[in-house]
């Protein structure tokens, strides 16, 4: 038996064999990984792409660069051409030049351009201004020692359009009082007011537009009429229907007003023009009943409308005053002849004579916005 004071002693753990002790084996190595320690290298954007794809991308970049260079050369050439045309044609503003065809640089090296479009605004043509002259030259041959030393050009063929704008005509010829509008393919209607001797007269006229030869546009003025209120109408000319005549309303008022009727019948030339017998006139001057019977006839109004008041103004100016007509206005109308009035409304012009070659009209027509003219040319030259 163990003594109660026995204190068990335990051997040191390292001295007692471990019951599960096994022979020492080296710990297995950790699995191999392909991760790199430290900073990772960025891979290029095209890394791994096939070589053919890289080549295509490079060619696209090169093509874009060449296209950009070609377009820049076109813009530069257009700018130089616009300045040259402005100086040589003595234009107030540089024209707009568009060089067609791609690529441009091979054309320039070959001294031959497919086509060039030139638009010139506000070209003076006689009394009017052409709103726009647009022409396209084809198969242009350049003159010069090289691409950077072009001295001029030869134009075998050219076609274009000319616009004579109604808006410009209204501003230049009408002075904001007369308007021009298209009435048909060859006719322009003129409407508005014309100041004459301090009076605003209503103007009506028709302008016929036609080609004159191969270089000019001719306008013929017809149906010209100036209305003096509701009192009288003036038509320039020497025919019986032309001159200054009473309107139907004023002729009817003359037949109703005794004082005016007797004043008219007191003029022998008027009586002869009316075809009234002298005995009838003498009776009408003495009796209101006889006067009413004379002026009440339907033919009296028609006969009164045939009287040329300008003829009366020369011999009997006091009569016109009784009729309510201003003598100063009648004097001004006597100087407003058909040629004078037609000249104020003329829309004609001629194409300029080119230094060389031929420039002519193909067609003239009236459109909604103005008079349009088609032109063509051949054998033209620009420069020395």
């Amino acid at each position: 038996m163990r003594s109660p004071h026995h204190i068990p002693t335990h051997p040191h753990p390292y001295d007692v064999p471990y019951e599960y002790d096994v022979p020492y084996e080296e710990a297995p190595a950790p699995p191999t990984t392909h991760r790199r320690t430290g900073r990772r290298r960025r891979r290029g954007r095209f890394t791994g792409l096939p070589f053919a794809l890289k080549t295509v991308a490079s060619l696209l970049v090169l093509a874009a660069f060449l296209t950009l260079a070609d377009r820049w050369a076109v813009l530069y050439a257009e700018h130089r051409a616009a300045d040259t045309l402005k100086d040589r044609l003595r234009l107030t503003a540089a024209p707009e030049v568009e060089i067609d065809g791609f690529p441009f640089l091979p054309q320039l090296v070959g001294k031959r351009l497919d086509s060039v479009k030139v638009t010139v605004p506000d070209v003076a043509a006689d009394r009017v201004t052409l709103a726009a002259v647009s022409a396209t030259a084809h198969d242009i041959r350049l003159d010069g020692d090289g691409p950077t030393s072009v001295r001029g050009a030869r134009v075998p063929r050219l076609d274009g359009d000319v616009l004579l704008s109604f808006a410009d005509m209204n501003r230049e010829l009408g002075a904001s009082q007369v308007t021009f509008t298209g009435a048909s393919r060859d006719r322009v209607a003129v409407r508005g007011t014309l100041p004459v001797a301090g009076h605003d007269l209503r103007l009506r006229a028709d302008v016929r537009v036609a080609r004159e030869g191969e270089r000019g546009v001719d306008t013929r003025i017809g149906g010209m009429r100036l209305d003096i209120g509701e009192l009288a109408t003036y038509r320039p000319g020497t025919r019986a229907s032309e001159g200054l005549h009473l309107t139907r309303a004023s002729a009817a008022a003359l037949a109703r007003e005794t004082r005016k009727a007797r004043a008219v019948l007191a003029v022998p030339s008027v009586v002869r023009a009316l075809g009234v017998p002298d005995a009838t006139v003498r009776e009408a001057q003495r009796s209101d009943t006889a006067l009413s019977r004379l002026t009440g006839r339907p033919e009296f109004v028609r006969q009164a409308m045939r009287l040329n008041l300008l003829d009366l103004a020369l011999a009997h100016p006091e009569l016109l005053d009784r009729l309510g007509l201003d003598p100063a206005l009648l004097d001004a109308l006597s100087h407003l002849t058909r040629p004078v009035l037609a000249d104020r409304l003329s829309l004609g012009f001629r194409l300029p004579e080119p230094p060389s070659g031929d420039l002519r009209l193909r067609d003239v027509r009236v459109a909604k916005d103005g008079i349009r003219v088609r032109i063509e040319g051949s054998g033209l030259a620009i420069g020395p």
Side-chain angles (χ1 to χ4, degrees), residues 14 49 83 103 106 151 168 200 209-210 236 263 282 313 328 347 349 366:
Y14 293 150
L49 292 179
D83 290 341
R151 295 187 299 269
D168 292 339
D200 289 333
V209 180
R282 287 193 297 269
L347 311 177
F349 66 91
V366 177

Side-chain angles (χ1 to χ4, degrees), residues 233-246:
T233 297
Y234 174 67
R235 294 179 176 87
T238 57
R239 299 176 181 176
S241 60
E242 297 170 336
L244 183 63
H245 299 269
L246 295 174

Side-chain angles (χ1 to χ4, degrees), residues 356-377:
S356 63
D358 183 31
L359 186 63
R360 56 191 175 275
L361 301 175
R362 287 188 56 190
D363 180 57
V364 179
R365 63 182 177 88
V366 177
K368 183 178 181 180
D369 53 348
I371 300 174
R372 290 192 171 273
V373 181
R374 296 182 62 189
I375 60 175
E376 63 180 7

Side-chain angles (χ1 to χ4, degrees), residues 38 105 265:
L105 291 175
L265 293 175

Side-chain angles (χ1 to χ4, degrees), residues 16 35 39 47 49 70 94 99 171 197 200 212 227 289 355 364 372 374:
V16 180
R35 295 181 180 177
R39 183 177 297 177
T47 304
L49 292 179
D70 189 85
I99 300 177
R171 183 181 65 254
D200 289 333
E212 183 182 18
D227 294 331
T289 302
V364 179
R372 290 192 171 273
R374 296 182 62 189

Side-chain angles (χ1 to χ4, degrees), residues 178-181 188-192 203-207 221 345 347:
V178 177
T179 60
F180 297 81
T181 56
V188 178
V190 183
R191 302 291 185 269
L203 170 67
R204 295 175 61 92
D206 293 328
V207 181
I221 315 299
L345 301 178
L347 311 177

Side-chain angles (χ1 to χ4, degrees), residues 258-331:
T258 303
R259 184 178 61 87
K260 290 184 179 181
R262 281 201 169 102
V264 170
L265 293 175
V267 180
S269 60
V270 174
V271 173
R272 288 193 297 270
L274 293 176
V276 181
D278 293 339
T280 303
V281 172
R282 287 193 297 269
E283 184 181 1
Q285 294 286 20
R286 293 191 301 265
S287 168
D288 289 344
T289 302
L291 178 63
S292 299
R293 187 166 54 250
L294 172 63
T295 59
R297 295 181 304 169
E299 59 269 20
F300 181 84
V301 173
R302 294 193 297 269
Q303 291 169 339
M305 291 176 62
R306 296 192 187 103
L307 295 174
N308 191 342
L309 301 182
L310 290 180
D311 296 335
L312 296 179
L314 298 176
H316 306 279
E318 73 285 351
L319 176 60
L320 300 181
D321 183 58
R322 293 183 180 181
L323 294 176
L325 293 170
D326 182 8
L329 172 61
L330 299 181
D331 180 67

